[in-house]
Amino acid sequence: MVYCSTRDHTVSVSAAQAIARGISPDGGLYLPKSLPKLDIVRLRALLETDYRARACDILGDFLPDFGAGELRECVEAAYGDNFASDKITPLSKLSPNAYMLELWHGPTAAFKDLALQLLPHLLTRSAKKTIGEKTVNILVATSGDTGKAALEGFKDVPGTNILVFYPEQGVSRVQKLQMSTQAGGNVGVCGVYGNFDDTQTAVKQIFTDPQMAVKLDTRDAIFSSANSINWGRLAPQIVYYVSAYCEMVNGGEIELGDSVNVAVPTGNFGNILAAYYAKLMGLPIGRLICASNQNNVLTDFIRTGIYDKRRDFHMTSSPSMDILISSNLERLLYNLSEDDRLVADLMGRLSREGVYELPAPLNDKLKADFYGGFCTEAETAAAIKHTFDEYNYLCDTHTAVALKVYRDYAKETGDSTKTIVASTASPFKFAGSILAALTGKNSGEDEFKQLRALAEITGIVPPVNITELEGKSPRFAQTCAKEEMPGVVAQMLGL
Ligand SMILES: *Cc1c(COP(=O)(O)O)cnc(C)c1O
């Protein structure tokens, strides 16, 4: 299998090259030139296996330059006791037609663990195959969830260091503690006085700083990134849709071959794109329901074909979806059009003018596969309360957005196809918002008090990974101005 760039289809690199490089030099994203096929015979064989075997099977096609034994080692290291469920991504039936695909039983209680527990193994081996035995230094700018998931994934992985910068005033107490108490001999964490954009801009400058490059080179090291445009983060996400389908067949909820819909709370368009790839491969998926919060740029795009980021940015109770530029959408544009020139042109327009329009036939094609909808803050809170009162199921703020849009879709279309709803975070990661949604009042208390109150009201035990944070003292208390970040990187890496 070869990979090309969304902006140049003549590019031809291996999977290991695509993962080691992260982004194509032309600015495009790597994607496979053709997708492997997942027919009923192959699905039937997967029914009898577990998550790890399904991962090896699906990923094997995407990573032909990894040997089967090698891939199995990576998969076993990624999906084991570090997940609180031996199903890894258990499926929980909510209502006659809705099934919650719980993607938050990993070490950081959010769905990013599914990719970031595996990526370090794929990335270090890919680097070894393509650039030799160099140390890979991962730099991450995070607004909260990605940083912790990347730290957990890369901690003590031989041949890597990982440094995470977060906005000192811009993350929750739980998120800050998750990062500042991080274990591992190859990790570093630093708060930055500035917002997320400042932090991300400074990280990008460090990546391209020529002096830094020289210093790294003398140490036989490189910088790399763990952000969500890396193919190595996307491919592992295809697996859980296939696995959820198998679970539905095994549980007698559907017959092999029946179609299901998928509803996904969407920000950077990575998670839902993985479901789309599963559909293109042959997994029987009908509609893909793309759910946004108040930052509803994708809803408008799916409905009108016009992508317009020139709008107010809203801070919401589902912060991991507060995003106006969904980077992975570029891959969808390529798959829809198979026209690299068009993609390069549209992406150029987006960066110059902040807006582009899809040709009408492509918008029709998009709407055939995708339904777009959004959810306001009040509707998010109402969905959390409704879901708990009606079904005794506690969902987080992001998942509530997906449930609300799924219900809108079912009502609007009358489509009663069974639907897999991606449940992307533990509700205890956002205890304050959930508690306020259930009780109708904002307690304004300490986050751990809110967490205990939520546990008490609902009778649900919060993940140990979160509760155990309360008594821990931080290992990392360093903060810096954004101008000081290169110095901090040099100091932490001993450059
Ligand atoms: C990152 C994230 C999302 C959005 O996923 P995308 O792949 O960026 O669309 C949704 N929910 C949670 C909890 C997340 O952390």
Side-chain angles (χ1 to χ4, degrees):
M1 172 171 296
V2 289
Y3 287 75
C4 69
S5 159
T6 48
R7 301 189 195 179
D8 181 357
H9 77 272
T10 63
V11 166
S12 179
V13 301
S14 69
Q17 281 171 316
I19 291 170
R21 289 183 193 166
I23 186 159
S24 176
D26 54 38
L29 307 186
Y30 290 117
L31 82 186
K33 271 198 171 150
S34 64
L35 287 168
K37 287 279 163 272
L38 186 59
D39 58 18
I40 294 293
V41 176
R42 194 166 160 201
L43 263 178
R44 182 173 291 123
L46 289 180
L47 293 180
E48 328 245 306
T49 61
D50 66 359
Y51 193 89
R52 280 172 284 273
R54 289 168 191 158
C56 290
D57 186 87
I58 302 295
L59 293 172
D61 278 347
F62 286 106
L63 307 170
D65 33 2
F66 282 64
E70 190 181 19
L71 184 56
R72 176 150 279 280
E73 267 174 44
C74 295
V75 163
E76 281 173 358
Y79 306 122
D81 292 348
N82 48 345
F83 280 77
S85 163
D86 56 7
K87 295 234 176 246
I88 309 299
T89 60
L91 195 65
S92 168
K93 186 168 182 170
L94 181 75
S95 65
N97 292 330
Y99 298 78
M100 309 306 289
L101 174 56
E102 295 180 350
L103 302 172
W104 42 263
H105 293 279
T108 76
F111 93 92
K112 290 181 175 69
D113 286 331
L114 273 306
L116 280 165
Q117 286 293 302
L118 184 60
L119 180 70
H121 304 285
L122 300 183
L123 187 63
T124 48
R125 286 165 196 261
S126 295
K128 223 169 254 172
K129 289 176 201 293
T130 55
I131 52 172
E133 301 274 343
K134 295 192 181 186
T135 304
V136 181
N137 297 303
I138 307 289
L139 295 188
V140 180
T142 181
S143 58
D145 284 344
T146 300
K148 176 61 183 179
L151 283 163
E152 270 303 308
F154 280 94
K155 91 173 163 207
D156 293 330
V157 173
T160 72
N161 293 300
I162 173 158
L163 306 183
V164 172
F165 293 92
Y166 66 89
E168 175 66 20
Q169 314 290 342
V171 299
S172 74
R173 178 147 174 247
V174 166
Q175 286 175 320
K176 189 187 277 192
L177 269 175
Q178 276 193 313
M179 292 187 277
S180 65
T181 58
Q182 177 66 46
N186 64 339
V187 304
V189 175
C190 181
V192 179
Y193 294 109
N195 62 25
F196 172 64
D197 283 333
D198 297 330
T199 312
Q200 182 156 48
T201 306
V203 162
K204 280 187 185 155
Q205 277 164 1
I206 297 170
F207 267 119
T208 49
D209 179 343
Q211 272 180 310
M212 203 70 107
V214 171
K215 282 190 198 161
L216 275 179
D217 206 42
T218 59
R219 300 269 195 307
D220 234 2
I222 58 160
F223 279 136
S224 189
S225 155
N227 65 15
S228 74
I229 50 177
N230 194 314
W231 179 257
R233 269 190 65 175
L234 203 63
Q237 299 181 350
I238 298 172
V239 175
Y240 49 73
Y241 291 107
V242 176
S243 189
Y245 186 90
C246 292
E247 293 299 310
M248 285 179 74
V249 176
N250 286 345
E253 303 294 337
I254 55 171
E255 298 285 333
L256 185 61
D258 287 353
S259 265
V260 298
N261 289 339
V262 173
V264 185
T266 298
N268 223 359
F269 210 77
N271 201 358
I272 196 167
L273 185 68
Y276 178 64
Y277 285 141
K279 176 177 164 75
L280 293 183
M281 288 165 69
L283 190 72
I285 292 178
R287 290 300 277 291
L288 297 139
I289 299 163
C290 174
S292 302
N293 64 23
Q294 196 94 59
N295 296 293
N296 58 357
V297 62
L298 288 167
T299 310
D300 292 343
F301 175 63
I302 292 167
R303 293 185 180 175
T304 66
I306 298 170
Y307 195 98
D308 191 349
K309 68 159 186 164
R310 302 166 305 173
R311 58 180 74 206
D312 289 340
F313 177 88
H314 300 282
M315 305 255 282
T316 74
S317 57
S318 46
S320 302
M321 294 151 67
D322 291 345
I323 189 160
L324 291 178
I325 303 177
S326 291
S327 9
N328 271 301
L329 196 63
E330 178 166 351
R331 287 193 170 104
L332 176 70
L333 297 177
Y334 184 89
N335 289 103
L336 282 175
S337 66
E338 297 189 354
D339 182 346
D340 53 349
R341 304 264 288 276
L342 177 76
V343 176
D345 177 56
L346 296 181
M347 292 300 105
R349 280 173 203 272
L350 182 63
S351 76
R352 284 190 311 273
E353 298 153 31
V355 59
Y356 64 81
E357 179 165 9
L358 208 55
L362 289 183
N363 188 210
D364 291 342
K365 207 171 160 190
L366 173 69
K367 282 192 284 197
D369 286 331
F370 288 87
Y371 169 90
F374 75 100
C375 183
T376 65
E377 286 296 274
E379 288 166 336
T380 305
I384 291 165
K385 183 156 173 52
H386 171 79
T387 305
F388 189 68
D389 291 347
E390 193 83 3
Y391 305 108
N392 197 27
Y393 188 91
L394 191 66
C395 71
D396 99 294
T397 46
H398 304 75
T399 309
V401 167
L403 275 169
K404 188 270 178 185
V405 174
Y406 156 67
R407 289 187 191 117
D408 287 350
Y409 167 80
K411 210 179 279 170
E412 193 177 311
T413 59
D415 183 355
S416 60
T417 304
K418 298 203 168 174
T419 299
I420 295 170
V421 180
S423 177
T424 50
S426 159
F428 290 97
K429 254 196 135 160
F430 305 93
S433 303
I434 312 290
L435 193 62
L438 293 184
T439 62
K441 41 181 193 280
N442 201 330
S443 72
E445 279 177 325
D446 172 87
E447 275 185 73
F448 288 102
K449 272 197 188 145
Q450 293 173 330
L451 195 145
R452 281 193 293 274
L454 185 60
E456 197 162 311
I457 291 180
T458 59
I460 297 172
V461 182
V464 178
N465 295 333
I466 296 180
T467 50
E468 73 181 8
L469 287 172
E470 192 173 7
K472 278 194 186 169
S473 35
R475 278 181 76 197
F476 301 99
Q478 189 168 6
T479 52
C480 72
K482 58 188 188 227
E483 297 76 19
E484 294 166 339
M485 284 170 59
V488 173
V489 170
Q491 169 229 323
M492 284 181 167
L493 295 177
L495 298 177

